[in-house]
Amino acid sequence: MIKIGMMIGERYEILEKIGTGGMSDVYKAKCHKLNRFVAVKVLKQEFSENANFVSKFRVEAQAAAGLMHPNIVNVYDVGEENGIYYIVMELVEGITLKKYIEKKARLSYKEAVSIAIQVSLGIEAAHNNHIIHRDIKPQNIIISKEGKVKVTDFGIAKAATSNTITSNVMGSVHYTSPEQARGGYSDEKSDIYSLGITLFEMLTGRVPFNGETTVAIAIKHIQEEIPSPKEFVLEIPNSVEQIVLKCCQKSPDRRYQSMGELIEDLKQSLINPEESFVVFQDPDEETATRFISDNEMAQIKRQSERRDTMDEALRLKADVEADMEEEYGEDEYTDDYDPRMEHITTVLTVIAGIVICCVIIFFVGKITGIFGAGLSSNNETSEDSGSLSDETVFMIPVANKSVAVAQNELKAIGLLSEIVYEESEVEQNIVIRASITEGTEVPIGTTVTLWVSAGTEGREVPNVVGYSYEDAVKRLQDSGFEVNKTDSYSADVAQGYVISQNPVSGKAPLGSSVVINVSLGEDDNKVRVPNLMGLPEDEATIKLIEAGLAVGAVSQMYSEEYAEGLVCYQSYSDGSYVDQGVTVDFKVSLGSAAVTYQYNAGIEAPTLEEAPDYVAGTPISISLVAEDGKILLENTSVTTFPYAANFFGIKSPRGTITFTYAVTTESTTATDEAGNTVVVPGTTESKTFTREVTFTQEVQ
């Protein structure tokens, strides 16, 4: 009997009860040997008294204890004390996926797929160690406070299903595979089926099969095709729908054959959600859905009649085993025997033998020179040249590029960079020169100094190395600079204090960014944020998921530095260290903003210098043409000034106003050759002059 405050295994102090299930109770405990908190799962009395169950449970739990994976609740210890059988596990603060789904009603397809990828990675690690879970369901998946997804209850599952299906599996019948419901052989593909049902529930907020009794639900798993999740949520992408349907095929041979295949399609669905890339195997008579036989129906009904309460329901597998043992004898029937697997094992053994023989022959040949000395020489030359190319790179051109683009291009080839600003007539934030000449071969990891223009009015960058993060930010912002933060572990600099900054000193453009590297203290298990800048949205999404981080809000913005469709902003800087599962937002470039201008001014009358013979009040024609040829005002007659001009959406920054007016001379008298007085009529002359104007850029 477990009591609060008691010590078990001479090291685990029971602190409080934190959960209960059909087969076990879970307690929070403190391990006094390693001074850490753990979860202790204690088997209930009815299972502790079953020797067969206990034996299988201990074997499986000990095997699970060898699994170490970030997406698995790790098992630390297995033990027994005074008839109490227990396993000691990692303590995960969080909620089950079941409660998370209930809280949110249903999940978005991106969140559901991201969770499914993490679950699949954990299950794949178990399968690679020949451990099958057999009880995948949202109740056995935990989401930590940091957002990390972990699968739990490895070990108990096989022991339970190989002995009897009890009340614990009553909650599992919604997720059980057809072969498990029939009591037949189950393997890795049973876990794939259960994960498919779990994904269905994440997407729709409900399970695909329901019924008044567990027997009715089991029959539906055996007999009925799974409905499409799009019947309940129309916006589910085509590829995600196909993945669910393939996972939940009745025949194991038509499902994904490994977790690796499933993970590949799940990742692809994040990149191309509406594409049809999921491949289904062609059905045949053997793999087609078969209706339950009369004998199986009678078997299931007999099970139901032998149970008066839900706590004793659904003993399908045990009864099938009992029938097999009665007919063939206990020694001739084993739970895990499958003739197909025996055949596959034989074939693989033969192939392995052939491969080993080829390897032996190859090495004997190399030693004795059968394959020729020339081959070895060529190989050595190739390896040497490959090694050289792996260790060095050639410096790329960076002059006349923006500093952000130059830094990212250097990072892409494995070079680091530091910035030194200097006042210059060159446009602000443009690289003037680099410390390494273009084309020079340098080792990977070399730091390249970039001299960058601070314009003609740079401001001195304060040195904040050694300051606390808060003080450093205040000093830099008070000086007119933006602050970008990165994090690094350091044994020398206290947590929260600045290790280094870039640029270190000198003058920089007002409003430019200063990157400060802040100490995280001693190293721990935090995750380094990957560099998403310049990546397409789909690649950035996958990179975050693979790093154990969650994809947050994805939005768009104009960017002068990054082409349309590429990430131009991320909420955590590249190189920062954050807790696993932290949500990272990023923005995708819309390309360069469409710059437009406006002209809101009063056009003034001609000046004496422009038109000395113009008479105020007389008509004058005005035309306004933008630099790109766009006519804004054409031959407009004006007699009074200033003339109001209001134009918007102009695509050129400058324009020309053309003034045209007439100058008329008065008539005069003159004497002709005959001595007669004649009248000479006046003349009219058209005159033109221009005035250059500059437009104002519109605010986006």
Side-chain angles (χ1 to χ4, degrees):
M1 181 71 179
I2 293 291
K3 293 182 180 180
I4 303 301
M6 73 179 294
M7 188 82 71
I8 61 174
E10 298 182 355
R11 61 187 295 186
Y12 305 112
E13 180 186 0
I14 304 297
L15 301 178
E16 60 177 309
K17 188 174 184 178
I18 57 176
T20 187
M23 292 183 292
S24 59
D25 296 317
V26 184
Y27 297 87
K28 180 178 180 180
K30 183 175 183 180
C31 174
H32 284 272
K33 267 192 180 179
L34 298 177
N35 194 30
R36 65 180 176 186
F37 292 105
V38 294
V40 177
K41 180 168 286 192
V42 180
L43 288 183
K44 289 185 175 179
Q45 192 66 29
E46 59 266 34
F47 296 100
S48 299
E49 294 173 354
N50 186 317
N52 188 29
F53 178 89
V54 168
S55 174
K56 292 186 177 182
F57 158 70
R58 294 185 69 176
V59 170
E60 287 297 314
Q62 286 166 356
L67 289 176
M68 294 296 289
H69 191 275
N71 296 116
I72 291 177
V73 176
N74 296 307
V75 177
Y76 297 142
D77 195 7
V78 182
E80 180 270 332
E81 185 174 289
N82 299 325
I84 298 172
Y85 294 89
Y86 62 88
I87 55 176
V88 181
M89 305 182 300
E90 172 187 2
L91 180 65
V92 181
E93 300 284 353
I95 63 172
T96 66
L97 177 58
K98 186 71 173 179
K99 290 183 179 178
Y100 187 64
I101 296 171
E102 291 170 354
K103 181 180 177 182
K104 297 191 69 173
R106 63 181 177 85
L107 311 185
S108 69
Y109 89 88
K110 280 191 176 181
E111 187 174 21
V113 170
S114 297
I115 291 173
I117 289 173
Q118 292 191 59
V119 173
S120 299
L121 289 169
I123 299 173
E124 182 185 38
H127 288 179
N128 290 341
N129 285 273
H130 312 294
I131 296 175
I132 304 166
H133 193 290
R134 289 180 169 87
D135 195 23
I136 295 295
K137 56 185 177 181
Q139 294 91 326
N140 284 339
I141 297 167
I142 299 176
I143 302 175
S144 71
K145 290 180 178 178
E146 295 78 28
K148 194 68 178 176
V149 180
K150 292 177 176 281
V151 184
T152 188
D153 268 3
F154 282 93
I156 288 183
K158 182 172 182 181
T161 55
S162 62
N163 185 60
T164 180
I165 297 178
T166 65
S167 57
N168 180 61
V169 188
M170 299 310 302
S172 307
V173 72
H174 291 98
Y175 311 93
T176 193
S177 65
E179 59 269 27
Q180 285 175 297
R182 282 195 294 264
Y185 173 83
S186 60
D187 59 7
E188 289 87 349
K189 293 183 281 294
S190 297
D191 285 348
I192 291 175
Y193 182 95
S194 299
L195 181 55
I197 301 292
T198 300
L199 180 56
F200 184 103
E201 185 174 358
M202 284 194 281
L203 294 165
T204 65
R206 51 162 291 160
V207 290
F209 299 124
N210 245 320
E212 293 184 1
T213 66
T214 54
V215 174
I217 298 170
I219 291 171
K220 288 183 179 181
H221 277 291
I222 297 170
Q223 182 171 316
E224 294 184 11
E225 290 291 351
I226 185 174
S228 167
K230 294 188 76 164
E231 292 180 17
F232 307 99
V233 181
L234 289 176
E235 57 265 32
I236 294 173
N238 177 62
S239 63
V240 179
E241 174 199 30
Q242 296 300 305
I243 288 171
V244 172
L245 296 179
K246 183 171 181 178
C247 286
C248 297
Q249 292 291 304
K250 300 303 177 192
S251 168
D253 294 334
R254 297 192 64 201
R255 298 175 204 151
Y256 288 99
Q257 298 303 292
S258 70
M259 279 294 171
E261 290 182 15
L262 173 56
I263 292 168
E264 185 177 339
D265 275 4
L266 286 169
K267 288 182 178 180
Q268 183 72 6
S269 72
L270 290 174
I271 302 172
N272 302 304
E274 294 298 341
E275 287 191 12
S276 298
F277 52 79
V278 178
V279 179
F280 286 84
Q281 299 296 326
D282 291 333
D284 55 36
E285 291 183 4
E286 244 184 12
T287 59
T289 302
R290 81 174 174 86
F291 287 89
I292 191 167
S293 67
D294 292 339
N295 287 338
E296 287 176 320
M297 178 67 77
Q299 175 72 16
I300 294 172
K301 287 181 177 178
R302 285 199 301 273
Q303 287 295 103
S304 181
E305 291 169 358
R306 284 203 296 263
R307 299 292 175 266
D308 297 325
T309 66
M310 288 291 284
D311 288 338
E312 298 177 346
L314 199 58
R315 201 179 289 267
L316 292 177
K317 184 165 183 169
D319 287 344
V320 171
E321 288 181 359
D323 291 343
M324 295 293 287
E325 289 175 5
E326 182 178 345
E327 183 173 353
Y328 301 105
E330 184 175 356
D331 293 337
E332 292 182 23
Y333 174 74
T334 61
D335 174 53
D336 290 329
Y337 174 74
D338 183 2
R340 288 179 301 168
M341 290 302 293
E342 183 181 35
H343 175 70
I344 292 171
T345 303
T346 302
V347 172
L348 290 176
T349 303
V350 172
I351 293 172
I354 294 172
V355 171
I356 292 170
C357 289
C358 291
V359 172
I360 293 172
I361 292 171
F362 175 75
F363 280 109
V364 170
K366 283 184 71 75
I367 294 170
T368 59
I370 293 174
F371 298 129
L375 179 62
S376 175
S377 175
N378 291 339
N379 284 345
E380 287 174 6
T381 303
S382 174
E383 287 173 7
D384 289 344
S385 62
S387 175
L388 178 63
S389 65
D390 287 344
E391 295 176 356
T392 62
V393 292
F394 292 95
M395 179 62 186
I396 58 175
V398 292
N400 300 318
K401 295 182 179 179
S402 75
V403 62
V405 170
Q407 286 185 305
N408 277 294
E409 289 182 354
L410 289 171
K411 183 179 293 185
I413 64 171
L415 299 180
L416 306 176
S417 60
E418 64 178 11
I419 301 170
V420 175
Y421 280 102
E422 64 179 38
E423 289 188 324
S424 168
E425 295 295 331
V426 176
E427 185 183 345
Q428 286 185 351
N429 290 314
I430 297 298
V431 177
I432 302 170
R433 63 186 183 280
S435 60
I436 298 175
T437 307
E438 175 189 346
T440 303
E441 189 173 13
V442 294
I444 285 178
T446 299
T447 298
V448 180
T449 301
L450 302 177
W451 279 270
V452 180
S453 172
T456 56
E457 297 181 357
R459 179 169 291 191
E460 195 70 34
V461 179
N463 188 343
V464 295
V465 174
Y467 283 74
S468 70
Y469 172 68
E470 293 76 12
D471 290 343
V473 170
K474 186 175 187 308
R475 287 200 70 196
L476 290 168
Q477 289 180 343
D478 287 348
S479 298
F481 298 102
E482 298 291 331
V483 180
N484 282 344
K485 177 190 176 189
T486 62
D487 302 298
S488 296
Y489 292 106
S490 172
D492 303 318
V493 179
Q495 183 176 357
Y497 284 79
V498 178
I499 302 171
S500 61
Q501 69 180 75
N502 194 6
V504 177
S505 59
K507 290 186 175 181
L510 186 65
S512 61
S513 294
V514 177
V515 180
I516 58 174
N517 187 17
V518 180
S519 173
L520 292 169
E522 296 283 349
D523 193 3
D524 60 16
N525 293 323
K526 289 185 179 289
V527 174
R528 186 183 178 92
V529 177
N531 183 23
L532 308 181
M533 305 297 282
L535 295 179
E537 179 183 350
D538 49 9
E539 291 184 22
T541 298
I542 290 177
K543 204 163 186 178
L544 284 175
I545 292 171
E546 289 178 339
L549 301 172
V551 179
V554 179
S555 55
Q556 296 177 313
M557 65 180 288
Y558 289 107
S559 171
E560 298 296 326
E561 297 175 1
Y562 294 95
E564 183 179 358
L566 303 181
V567 175
C568 57
Y569 164 85
Q570 59 186 89
S571 58
Y572 288 89
S573 300
D574 168 31
S576 299
Y577 285 88
V578 296
D579 292 328
Q580 290 185 347
V582 160
T583 298
V584 179
D585 303 331
F586 61 85
K587 296 181 181 180
V588 179
S589 172
L590 291 169
S592 298
V595 179
T596 56
Y597 303 86
Q598 61 186 20
Y599 184 61
N600 306 110
I603 299 176
E604 298 293 340
T607 65
L608 188 62
E609 290 77 13
E610 290 174 325
D613 49 4
Y614 171 71
V615 178
T618 60
I620 185 168
S621 177
I622 301 175
S623 296
L624 174 58
V625 180
E627 199 172 43
D628 63 355
K630 175 73 173 177
I631 298 174
L632 304 174
L633 190 65
E634 184 175 16
N635 297 330
T636 300
S637 181
V638 178
T639 56
T640 58
F641 290 95
Y643 178 80
N646 294 285
F647 301 100
F648 300 89
I650 308 169
K651 295 183 179 179
S652 298
R654 289 171 293 276
T656 302
I657 302 175
T658 302
F659 297 82
T660 303
Y661 63 97
V663 176
T664 303
T665 60
E666 296 180 358
S667 60
T668 60
T669 59
T671 303
D672 61 11
E673 292 178 355
N676 300 318
T677 300
V678 295
V679 177
V680 180
T683 60
T684 300
E685 180 184 358
S686 178
K687 292 192 175 183
T688 300
F689 70 90
T690 59
R691 182 186 297 168
E692 301 296 324
V693 291
T694 301
F695 304 141
T696 304
Q697 184 173 331
E698 292 180 323
V699 179
Q700 299 295 325

